[in-house]
């Protein structure tokens, strides 16, 4: 498994404003979109392309276009939805599938409550959107679900990650035949006893959409 911690002053700046408890929901949502576009730029470095010929006003030349089948972007509901706009801005032609996962706050275990994905993901590159990689339970379940459907290259884009979650992911996908990459805006210090990332930014879903 590859882990890429994006190291860019603009990302650090936007993350710092996101972490601030005084940042309101509209600002938080806009910053998440902007951050995801920046993270997606890193995450799509190995997106598959094909060689094409293009006629410029001057001459004919070789270039690249995104290959078929198109990548699949999978936001994990609910908080991952706040990342979709930022991702779509960079790859507007990607197909979008949805995965609803919920975390039991006592056991911290994740389970699927909804999905809207192509039945067959054979040969597809998938980009999973989940803002907070805490224990990794949700992402591990989601990625296994995509592998079962045939996905053969998976990148998770997270705003923040905890070392515990990265370690659990490393263990879960140690012998995976499918390459897994995590791209995160920062690697934080730890998880607290409630499963929150420290220093973190609180509950990403609540801060995006308000408490329900
Ligand atoms: N989910 C969140 O929204 N925040 C955390 O800190 C951990 C999991």
């Amino acid at each position: 498994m590859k882990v890429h911690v994006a190291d860019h002053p603009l990302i650090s700046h936007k993350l710092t404003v996101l972490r601030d408890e005084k940042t309101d929901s509209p600002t938080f949502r806009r910053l998440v979109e902007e951050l995801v576009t920046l993270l997606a730029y890193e995450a799509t470095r190995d997106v598959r392309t094909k060689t094409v010929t293009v006629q410029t006003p001057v001459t004919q030349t070789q270039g690249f276009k995104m290959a078929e089948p198109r990548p699949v972007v999978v936001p994990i509901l609910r908080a991952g939805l706040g990342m979709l706009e930022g991702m779509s801005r960079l790859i507007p032609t990607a197909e979008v599938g949805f995965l609803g996962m919920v975390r039991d706050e006592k056991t911290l275990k994740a389970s699927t409550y909804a999905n809207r994905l192509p039945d067959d993901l054979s040969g597809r590159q998938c980009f999973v959107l989940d803002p907070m990689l805490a224990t990794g339970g949700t992402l591990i379940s989601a990625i296994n679900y995509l592998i079962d459907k045939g996905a053969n290259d998976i990148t998770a884009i997270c705003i923040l990650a905890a070392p515990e979650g990265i370690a659990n992911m490393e263990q879960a996908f140690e012998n995976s035949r499918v390459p897994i990459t995590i791209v995160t805006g920062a690697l934080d210090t730890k998880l607290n006893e409630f499963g929150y990332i420290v220093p973190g930014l609180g509950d990403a879903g609540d801060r995006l959409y308000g408490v329900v």
Side-chain angles (χ1 to χ4, degrees):
M1 190 180 85
K2 281 196 283 184
V3 180
H4 180 87
V5 182
D7 176 21
H8 190 287
L10 275 184
I11 293 181
S12 307
H13 169 91
K14 290 175 196 294
L15 259 180
T16 304
V17 185
L18 264 196
R19 291 185 193 278
D20 189 337
E21 64 177 6
K22 292 195 287 301
T23 298
D24 60 17
S25 277
T27 311
F28 192 93
R29 276 200 293 272
R30 183 178 50 76
L31 280 168
V32 165
E33 284 178 19
E34 290 173 8
L35 266 169
V36 173
T37 304
L38 295 172
L39 294 176
Y41 185 71
E42 290 294 340
T44 51
R45 192 167 282 282
D46 293 324
V47 73
R48 292 178 194 140
T49 55
K50 62 179 177 189
T51 311
V52 294
T53 304
V54 63
Q55 177 71 46
T56 78
V58 181
T59 186
Q60 207 175 59
T61 187
Q62 299 275 295
F64 300 96
K65 282 197 171 173
M66 270 168 51
E68 297 282 341
R70 290 174 294 154
V72 185
V73 174
V74 186
I76 298 182
L77 307 179
R78 123 182 110 126
L81 208 51
M83 301 171 75
L84 182 57
E85 188 57 37
M87 185 72 190
S88 302
R89 200 167 292 148
L90 206 68
I91 318 193
T93 56
E95 204 172 330
V96 180
F98 296 92
L99 206 44
M101 317 257 342
V102 67
R103 184 173 77 146
D104 185 306
E105 293 302 331
K106 288 207 184 75
T107 64
L108 303 182
K109 290 230 171 349
S111 59
T112 309
Y113 69 84
N115 89 74
R116 183 86 183 160
L117 281 164
D119 278 339
D120 184 12
L121 290 173
S122 302
R124 306 291 293 264
Q125 275 185 305
C126 292
F127 293 92
V128 185
L129 308 180
D130 190 13
M132 307 298 274
L133 170 47
T135 61
T138 304
L139 258 187
I140 291 169
S141 302
I143 290 174
N144 277 325
Y145 194 83
L146 298 176
I147 292 175
D148 287 347
K149 283 182 172 284
N152 73 351
D153 185 283
I154 301 175
T155 299
I157 303 180
C158 307
I159 305 279
L160 291 181
E164 294 88 335
I166 299 277
N168 288 339
M169 296 260 308
E170 298 266 15
Q171 198 181 11
F173 298 112
E174 202 177 3
N175 299 314
S176 173
R177 59 188 161 75
V178 175
I180 313 282
T181 305
I182 298 171
V183 175
T184 179
L187 184 55
D188 273 8
T189 311
K190 60 170 188 172
L191 289 181
N192 69 12
E193 65 273 36
F194 307 108
Y196 279 89
I197 297 176
V198 180
L201 49 75
D203 187 302
D206 288 353
R207 295 204 60 194
L208 279 163
Y209 302 117
V211 185
V212 287

